[in-house]
Amino acid sequence: QVQLAESGGGLVQAGGSLRLSCAASVRTFSRSNMGWFRQAPGKDREFVAAISRGGGVSIYADSVKGRFTISRDKDKNTVYLQMNSLKPEDTALYYCASDFAILTDPPKRDASSYDTWGQGTQVTVSS
């Protein structure tokens, strides 16, 4: 079974940057589309970004487009989320998730498409 472990969260001032990492424990990482989601207190979990298993396709929520970048390293079984120009509204618990997919499956925005989730890492942006 895939296990995912997020890291890199923390407290940062508005305008600052953080890079989140998500390490996957199994070899099926290379056959999985990967996604980042977040959940703020009192709000539903929302899609942030996702990347195809080969790394060639990435998609973003409109709220983070141009500020966040998702990437993956197949040799390290790790997916990253580089977050720049952070805003207080980016404050949330950030989760990574994996979606075991065939080569032609695009990365998805729907959380129900993902079968494995990490425990989350907290990101807090102060104003």
Side-chain angles (χ1 to χ4, degrees), residues 13 16 43 46 51 59 75 83 91 94 124:
Q13 288 188 332
K43 295 188 177 181
E46 66 172 351
I51 190 167
I59 57 174
D75 295 328
M83 307 186 295
T91 295
Y94 282 71
T124 303

Side-chain angles (χ1 to χ4, degrees), residues 1-24:
Q1 183 177 358
V2 177
Q3 291 184 332
L4 303 174
E6 303 95 335
S7 61
L11 174 63
V12 64
Q13 288 188 332
S17 298
L18 284 174
R19 188 177 81 156
L20 305 185
S21 299
C22 173

Side-chain angles (χ1 to χ4, degrees), residues 32-63:
S32 296
N33 293 339
M34 300 296 295
W36 285 98
F37 293 78
R38 67 187 182 186
Q39 187 167 19
K43 295 188 177 181
D44 293 333
R45 187 174 299 187
E46 66 172 351
F47 169 76
V48 176
I51 190 167
S52 60
R53 50 182 267 179
V57 178
S58 56
I59 57 174
Y60 298 91
D62 288 344
S63 59

Side-chain angles (χ1 to χ4, degrees), residues 13-114:
Q13 288 188 332
S17 298
L18 284 174
R19 188 177 81 156
L20 305 185
S21 299
C22 173
S25 65
V26 294
R27 289 170 288 179
T28 52
F29 174 80
S30 65
R31 287 176 278 172
S32 296
N33 293 339
M34 300 296 295
W36 285 98
F37 293 78
R38 67 187 182 186
Q39 187 167 19
K43 295 188 177 181
D44 293 333
R45 187 174 299 187
E46 66 172 351
F47 169 76
V48 176
I51 190 167
S52 60
R53 50 182 267 179
V57 178
S58 56
I59 57 174
Y60 298 91
D62 288 344
S63 59
V64 307
K65 198 173 296 183
R67 300 188 297 123
F68 291 11
T69 302
I70 189 170
S71 61
R72 63 190 297 162
D73 185 330
K74 63 180 177 59
D75 295 328
K76 295 183 179 179
N77 278 7
T78 300
V79 62
Y80 303 98
L81 185 68
Q82 177 66 44
M83 307 186 295
N84 299 328
S85 303
L86 283 161
K87 304 175 181 180
E89 51 263 44
D90 294 318
T91 295
L93 189 60
Y94 282 71
Y95 299 90
C96 72
S98 67
D99 170 21
F100 190 78
I102 62 174
L103 188 60
T104 54
D105 279 347
K108 299 178 178 64
R109 300 173 183 270
D110 186 355
S112 65
S113 298
Y114 294 80

